[in-house]
Amino acid sequence: MTAWTATAAALALLAAGYAIGRYRPAQHLSDWAHWQTYNTRQTRRTARWWAVWAILSAENLGWLIVHPRQGWEAWKHRNDPPPPLSPAVRITDHRAHKEG
């Protein structure tokens, strides 16, 4: 491989990476899969359901690979009870305490 060929290959890879980064195919697939979850008529018999399942599973596994500590903490606290509610707000009528 000559220097010109290596330079041309590097520029071609750089241009391809830039084009992919601008188009963001993974983001488009993820958005599509999330929108498909609102379709209530899907069943496991359709190829669309399996495609959505595969895309969302890959997204979740990718997040777990990138953020293992946050994933472990979320897994440990997945069944925690909700925090207690704050006390109700008390509204006082200041007109009743007016001197005069």
Side-chain angles (χ1 to χ4, degrees):
M1 189 186 283
T2 66
W4 289 106
T5 308
T7 304
L11 288 175
L13 287 174
L14 185 63
Y18 177 77
I20 290 172
R22 293 291 293 170
Y23 181 65
R24 297 182 177 184
Q27 183 68 43
H28 290 298
L29 277 174
S30 176
D31 291 345
W32 174 81
H34 283 282
W35 274 105
Q36 296 305 311
T37 58
Y38 293 112
N39 187 357
T40 57
R41 294 180 295 167
Q42 288 187 14
T43 62
R44 290 185 182 196
R45 294 182 214 156
T46 62
R48 179 179 286 179
W49 186 89
W50 287 101
V52 167
W53 185 84
I55 292 168
L56 294 178
S57 296
E59 183 179 317
N60 289 334
L61 289 174
W63 187 87
L64 283 173
I65 289 169
V66 175
H67 304 286
R69 184 172 292 158
Q70 290 176 354
W72 179 249
E73 290 299 319
W75 180 261
K76 286 194 310 188
H77 298 290
R78 70 191 184 281
N79 291 326
D80 288 353
L85 298 175
S86 61
V89 177
R90 292 182 53 193
I91 300 173
T92 58
D93 188 6
H94 295 289
R95 294 178 294 180
H97 301 293
K98 213 179 220 184
E99 295 179 24

